[in-house]
Amino acid sequence: MPRTIFEKPDAIALVAEVFRELGYEGASMSNITARTKLSKGSLYHFFPGGKEQMAAEIIAHIDAWFVVDMFKPLEEGEPRAAIRTMWETADRYFRSGRRICLIGAFALDETRDRFAMAIRSYFQRWIEALAGALTRAGLTGIEAQALAEEAVVGLQGALMLARALGDEAVFGRILERLKQRLETALG
Amino acid sequence: MPRTIFEKPDAIALVAEVFRELGYEGASMSNITARTKLSKGSLYHFFPGGKEQMAAEIIAHIDAWFVVDMFKPLEEGEPRAAIRTMWETADRYFRSGRRICLIGAFALDETRDRFAMAIRSYFQRWIEALAGALTRAGLTGIEAQALAEEAVVGLQGALMLARALGDEAVFGRILERLKQRLETALG
DNA sequence: GATCTTCTAAACTGATTGGTCCATAAGATA
DNA sequence: TATCTTATGGACCAATCAGTTTAGAAGATC
C-alpha cells in the first residue's frame, strides 16, 4: 500500500476546505479522511484535540493570512491604494464567490460559541482596519466606521447570495458597487 | 407519564428554531427531541421522511410566510410604503439580529444542494419583489435591480455580523443605513 | 360510552460518530 | 547502514446517529 506523506500546513489547508464545504458539524471524521486522503492516524497525529483543534487552528491560520494580506496593508499602507487592493485580495481569496468565508459561516450556528473570541476579533479587526484607512483618507470617524461595516457586511452577504443563487456573476457585481461606494465617499 | 399533544404547525415552528440554532447537520434527532420536547414518535409521525422532510417543510413554511408578509406587499402595495414596511417586517422577523436567516445559512454549506431550488427561488423572489417596487417608485430597472441586491445582501450580512460580534446594536444600525440609502435613491 | 383516528413514549435496530491505539513505513541524521 | 523521529493506515472502541416498531393514551365522532 502506497503511503502519501503530508506536512501540517498541507493538512490545515486540506481540512479547511472540507469545513468550508460541509460546515463544522457536517464535516465528520470519515468525510474529512475521504476528501483529504489523510488517514485518521495522520489527522490525530497533527491534531490530537480532534475536530475542535482542527477548527481552532484553521481559524488561526485564516486569521493570520488576513492579517498579513489584508489588515496590515489597510493599517499601514497608503489608504486609497490599500482599499483598492483589498477588493482584489478579497475577490482572489474568495475565488470570485465560489468560496465562502468559513469564519462567517461558523458565526451563524452554535459553532460560534466554541470560537466566539476568534470570530469576533477577526471581524472587529477587519472593520477597524478598513475604518482606519478610510479615516486616514479623510473621512470622519463616524462615516468611516459606518462605511467599513457596510463593506464587510456587503461582502459577506455577497458570498451568501452568490451561493444561494448559484450565480457567480452576482458576487463580482456587488463587489464592484461596494468599491464604487467607498471611492465616491472619498471623493 | 404526562403527555403533551402537539399539532403539526407547532412542530414545524419548534423544529425550525432548532435548525436555526444548530444548522442542518448540527441538528440531530436527539437534539431536536431534547429542545422541542417532541418525542421521536411524534417527529416521525409528522415527518415520516425524517430530517430532510423536516427541513423541506420548514423552508416551505418560511417561504410562505415571506410571500404573504413581505413579497406580496412589495409586489402589490404602494411601493414607498411597502419598502418602509419591509424594514420593520425584517427587523421583527429576525428579532433585531438575534435570529438568523435559516435559508441563508443553508446556502453556505452543502445543505444547499439538497434544497437548491427552494433556496434560489426565495432569494430571487425577494430581490425581484423589491426591485419591482423600486421600479414602480421611479427608478430604472438597472438601478432598481442593483439596489435590491444590495439591500438583501446587506441584510444577510448584517445578521451574520451581529452574531459574529455578539452585538445586536450593529444590526439595527446597518438596517437603518440600508433604509436611508433606498430612500435617498428614490429622492 | 363505544369506536376510531391521531398522536406519544420508549425500547430497539444497524450504521456512523469522534476518538484511541499500535505496528510499521518513510525521511532525516549520523 | 544503523538509528531515530515523524507520519501513516487501519483495526478497534464506546457513544451517538437516524430511523423503526409497538403498545397504548388522548381527542374526536357517533
Side-chain angles (χ1 to χ4, degrees):
Chain A
M1 49 208 129
R3 281 163 54 116
T4 318
I5 305 286
F6 294 94
E7 285 171 18
K8 189 154 179 179
D10 303 324
I12 289 179
L14 286 167
V15 178
E17 289 315 306
V18 182
F19 276 118
R20 231 185 265 278
E21 291 159 10
L22 302 176
Y24 183 79
E25 294 293 343
S28 68
M29 291 307 297
S30 21
N31 264 327
I32 296 171
T33 59
R35 297 196 183 204
T36 62
K37 310 296 176 195
L38 280 146
S39 70
K40 279 192 166 188
S42 303
L43 286 168
Y44 279 95
H45 169 70
F46 291 127
F47 311 102
K51 269 178 73 170
E52 180 131 7
Q53 186 183 347
M54 291 176 207
E57 294 204 25
I58 287 167
I59 292 173
H61 179 261
I62 293 172
D63 191 75
W65 190 94
F66 272 80
V67 166
V68 171
D69 284 62
M70 283 199 55
F71 306 161
K72 289 258 187 206
L74 284 170
E75 286 159 359
E76 297 165 4
E78 193 285 306
R80 283 163 193 266
I83 293 168
R84 243 180 287 119
T85 304
M86 180 188 81
W87 298 112
E88 289 165 30
T89 305
D91 187 63
R92 221 181 319 114
Y93 182 82
F94 294 113
R95 310 247 169 90
S96 303
R98 292 189 307 279
R99 203 192 202 196
I100 63 147
C101 175
L102 185 58
I103 300 182
F106 279 176
L108 289 185
D109 59 38
E110 284 197 1
T111 307
R112 178 193 61 165
D113 302 341
R114 293 172 183 262
F115 311 109
M117 281 203 334
I119 293 171
R120 188 170 58 246
S121 75
Y122 168 82
F123 281 102
Q124 234 162 28
R125 181 150 184 194
W126 191 347
I127 290 168
E128 271 169 31
L130 179 53
L134 288 165
T135 308
R136 279 181 290 123
L139 294 185
T140 70
I142 292 171
E143 278 180 308
Q145 176 71 19
L147 271 176
E149 277 174 2
E150 276 183 78
V152 172
V153 149
L155 188 116
Q156 293 291 332
L159 289 170
M160 180 183 285
L161 190 66
R163 275 192 65 88
L165 298 180
D167 171 8
E168 294 177 22
V170 77
F171 181 75
R173 213 155 65 216
I174 292 169
L175 236 61
E176 188 54 41
R177 278 188 63 98
L178 289 169
K179 185 178 162 188
Q180 288 301 326
R181 178 151 1 107
L182 293 207
E183 284 176 5
T184 304
L186 290 175
Chain B
M1 47 207 130
R3 280 165 51 118
T4 317
I5 305 286
F6 294 95
E7 287 171 16
K8 189 154 177 179
D10 303 324
I12 289 179
L14 286 167
V15 178
E17 289 316 305
V18 181
F19 277 119
R20 233 185 264 278
E21 290 158 11
L22 302 176
Y24 183 79
E25 293 293 343
S28 69
M29 290 306 297
S30 20
N31 263 328
I32 296 171
T33 58
R35 298 196 182 204
T36 62
K37 310 294 177 197
L38 279 146
S39 70
K40 279 190 170 191
S42 303
L43 286 167
Y44 278 96
H45 170 70
F46 291 128
F47 311 101
K51 269 176 73 168
E52 180 131 9
Q53 187 184 347
M54 291 176 206
E57 293 204 26
I58 288 167
I59 292 173
H61 179 262
I62 293 172
D63 191 73
W65 190 93
F66 271 80
V67 166
V68 171
D69 284 63
M70 284 198 56
F71 306 160
K72 288 257 188 206
L74 285 169
E75 287 160 358
E76 297 165 4
E78 194 285 305
R80 283 165 196 264
I83 292 169
R84 243 179 288 119
T85 305
M86 179 187 84
W87 298 112
E88 290 164 30
T89 306
D91 187 63
R92 219 179 322 113
Y93 182 83
F94 294 114
R95 312 247 167 89
S96 303
R98 292 188 307 278
R99 203 191 201 197
I100 63 148
C101 176
L102 184 59
I103 300 182
F106 280 176
L108 289 185
D109 59 38
E110 285 198 0
T111 307
R112 178 193 61 165
D113 302 341
R114 292 173 184 261
F115 311 108
M117 281 204 333
I119 293 171
R120 187 171 60 247
S121 76
Y122 167 82
F123 281 101
Q124 233 161 29
R125 182 151 183 194
W126 192 347
I127 291 169
E128 270 168 32
L130 179 54
L134 289 165
T135 308
R136 278 182 290 123
L139 295 184
T140 69
I142 293 171
E143 276 179 308
Q145 175 71 19
L147 271 176
E149 278 174 2
E150 275 182 78
V152 172
V153 149
L155 188 116
Q156 293 292 331
L159 290 169
M160 180 183 285
L161 190 66
R163 275 192 64 87
L165 298 179
D167 171 10
E168 294 177 22
V170 75
F171 181 74
R173 213 155 64 216
I174 292 169
L175 235 61
E176 190 54 39
R177 280 188 62 97
L178 289 169
K179 184 178 162 187
Q180 288 302 326
R181 180 151 358 109
L182 292 207
E183 284 176 5
T184 305
L186 289 175

